[in-house]
Amino acid sequence: MCIRDRPRPRVMLASTAGSVAALLILVAVGTVLDQPLLIPPLAASMALVAGAPDLPLSQPRSVVGGQLLSALTGFAVLTVASPGLWAAAVAGGLALGVMMLARTPHSPAAATAVIVALQAPPFWSFLGLLALACLLLVAVGLGSARATGRTYPVYWF
């Protein structure tokens, strides 16, 4: 299918429903844990997983690995700089290089590095919650793909 082609209604509905369900699951789990799981980059991640499951950016390796490596990049920047806009800009830019080096391209994850460098969240709890959220997104992506007859993931590693 060409990018200009309109998706089949069933695919569009199932992908949209999967995306909404995934984000609601993040809110529900976050509520139970009394910790926010839904952050803007994860909404963008889910849009890729549900809407473009064939792209390298959407594969589990990139979603989970890209998000975690970008968060680590943000934390690394914080070891040499104070939280703020300058640190956020450096972290967001460096995250791209780290993801490219690790072969885990995932553009929404650069925003995760920015969030870390701006807010300086607690290291272990942020990484743990981010990993959980990413795994939930991938799991919903698996279910959404089955409902639409699409293949996801194309590859795991």
Side-chain angles (χ1 to χ4, degrees):
M1 172 171 71
C2 178
I3 194 74
R4 293 175 301 222
D5 294 340
R6 185 179 305 263
R8 297 184 318 263
R10 178 174 170 248
V11 170
M12 195 175 348
L13 287 171
S15 296
T16 302
S19 185
V20 170
L23 300 179
L24 288 172
I25 288 169
L26 292 184
V27 171
V29 172
T31 300
V32 168
L33 296 175
D34 196 31
Q35 294 285 330
L37 279 187
L38 177 59
I39 58 174
L42 295 177
S45 294
M46 193 59 217
L48 284 171
V49 169
D54 298 336
L55 292 178
L57 298 172
S58 305
Q59 301 313 303
R61 172 189 174 92
S62 291
V63 173
V64 178
Q67 287 288 356
L68 293 176
L69 287 172
S70 291
L72 289 170
T73 301
F75 284 114
V77 168
L78 287 176
T79 64
V80 296
S82 299
L85 293 174
W86 294 100
V90 170
L94 287 176
L96 171 64
V98 170
M99 288 184 286
M100 290 174 71
L101 187 63
R103 297 180 302 113
T104 58
H106 189 67
S107 51
T112 300
V114 169
I115 289 171
V116 168
L118 280 174
Q119 298 181 350
F123 182 84
W124 289 111
S125 63
F126 186 85
L127 284 181
L129 293 169
L130 183 63
L132 172 63
C134 290
L135 293 173
L136 290 170
L137 296 183
V138 168
V140 173
L142 289 166
S144 180
R146 301 300 180 264
T148 61
R150 296 164 102 179
T151 301
Y152 181 78
V154 175
Y155 57 87
W156 285 95
F157 295 101

